[in-house]
Every structure is written in structure tokens, then in C-alpha cells.
Amino acid sequence: MTTYRRRLPGTYGRLTIVESVDVDRAEVTYRVRAPRVTGVFVAVPAWTRFNSRDPMPDGLDLHMGTGPAYVSGERREDLPNVNGIPLVGCVMVDPVEWLSRAEPRYRFSRPTGLRTSRPVPDATNALALAVVVQLLILWTSRPDRAELARTHAVRRAPARLAELRHGPIHSTETQIAKLTAELADHYRFAAALEPLAAEYKAMTSTEEEQYPP
């Protein structure tokens, strides 16, 4: 584990971040503590929507709380708590692009029931954003970021390959087979018409010879 201390902007105070890394799962866990802030964020390499067909992830999923991916957000443990409000969901970003913004924009959510949520108040959102910015700075400065991205790509490759084969590839192959069958039918029809067209051509040629202009 590694501990970092960062000064948050304005009057938010000092942020303490305890970082732990699961190399095999390509996950970095950030346990945070600051005035009016507690809880855990889990960072996992991810694909941005502009790069979804690249083998290697270029973005990051920052999950609120800990727990298996299949657990709904409000049931994850150690949810971040900001101004007494728990946060749920996942921040899906391109960290470099996000940090290049003069003013990052994101609306955090609080749980209201099973798989339901609503936006947090502005003051809570601003403080949560300040914390996440510090986490993204830590993530982008990691010397092992490329290795973690590759590990995640390897772990996800079988599922992504299966999805590709049973989804887009199967759909495209089905369309090609259908269009190939349609084209073959068109060729058969054309083949049946060709003798008649040839007969018509021969007939009109004879008529032109009998009745020259």
C-alpha cells in the first residue's frame, strides 16, 4: 500500500489517499479520507466509446465502492460518502482528456432504491469532482499504467472475442449469406432470360434485313 496526501482546492482541506494494487486483476483501489469525504474508488482500465474496437483500453472506469462487477451499485461496499451522501455508479473517462479540461463536468448520483438513483446537490458534486481529479492525476502518473491496461485487455479478450463472434461477425455473415443467395437467384433469372433476349435480338435483326429503312 502507498499513502498520498493532496491539498484539495479552496476550503476543502487535505485529502489522504491509501492506494493498493491488484496486479492480477489490473485494479487499483483508492481509499480516500478528507473533511466530509470517506470511502473507496476502484480504478480499472476501460475502453472509451471512441476506441471500443481497439484491443487495448485507452480509458478508465472509476467504480464507486468495492465488490464484484455484477453487484448493483447501491449494494457495493465502502461507497464514497461526500457531505454525508453516498455516491453510486461508475465514472467512465479518458483521464488525459478529462484532466485537460479547464473545468471537468460530471454529475454524481446518490442511491434512491434498487438500481435507482438521483443527482447529488451541486456542493456535493463539486467536492466529489475535486477528489476524483486527484485520483485521475495519480492514475495518469502510474509507471505501470500500460502493463495494467494490457493485463485487463488479456482478461477481457475471451469475452470480447465471444461477443464479436456471436454478435457482429455472426450478423454480418448472415447478411452476406442472405445477399449471396439473393444474388444467385438474380443470376438464375438472368440466365433464364438470356435465351429469350437472344431470340428477340435475332428476330429484330431478321426484320431489319427484310425491311431496311
Side-chain angles (χ1 to χ4, degrees), residues 197-213:
E199 184 177 333
Y200 174 77
K201 183 178 180 180
M203 181 180 67
T204 54
S205 296
T206 302
E207 289 178 351
E208 289 176 355
E209 291 175 358
Q210 291 178 350
Y211 307 102

Side-chain angles (χ1 to χ4, degrees), residues 73-74 79 85-88 109-113 116-118:
E74 75 282 350
L79 290 175
I85 298 173
L87 307 181
V88 293
S109 298
R110 65 187 300 175
T112 57
T116 62
S117 61
R118 72 167 184 264

Side-chain angles (χ1 to χ4, degrees), residues 151-201:
T151 297
H152 184 69
V154 169
R155 288 176 57 85
R156 288 284 297 130
R160 295 182 80 206
L161 184 58
E163 290 169 3
L164 184 62
R165 284 175 171 166
H166 292 97
I169 289 178
H170 175 72
S171 176
T172 302
E173 287 178 341
T174 299
Q175 292 179 39
I176 290 174
K178 178 182 178 182
L179 292 174
T180 300
E182 290 180 1
L183 182 59
D185 186 59
H186 294 328
Y187 278 134
R188 282 193 295 270
F189 186 29
L193 289 174
E194 281 174 356
L196 300 178
E199 184 177 333
Y200 174 77
K201 183 178 180 180

Side-chain angles (χ1 to χ4, degrees), residues 6-16 32-38 81-84 123-124 127-128 130-131:
R6 297 287 188 270
R7 173 66 64 178
L8 293 172
T11 60
Y12 290 146
R14 186 177 293 275
L15 172 67
T16 299
V32 300
R33 186 176 70 256
R36 296 172 290 139
V37 178
T38 60
N81 191 293
V82 179
N83 287 339
T124 298
L127 178 51
V131 171

Side-chain angles (χ1 to χ4, degrees), residues 54-96:
D54 197 288
M56 295 296 166
D58 62 328
L60 184 72
D61 281 352
L62 197 58
H63 298 273
M64 316 289 171
T66 62
Y70 59 82
V71 174
S72 59
E74 75 282 350
R75 291 184 174 176
R76 291 172 69 87
E77 298 179 358
D78 300 314
L79 290 175
N81 191 293
V82 179
N83 287 339
I85 298 173
L87 307 181
V88 293
C90 175
V91 183
M92 295 173 282
V93 296
D94 176 340
V96 176

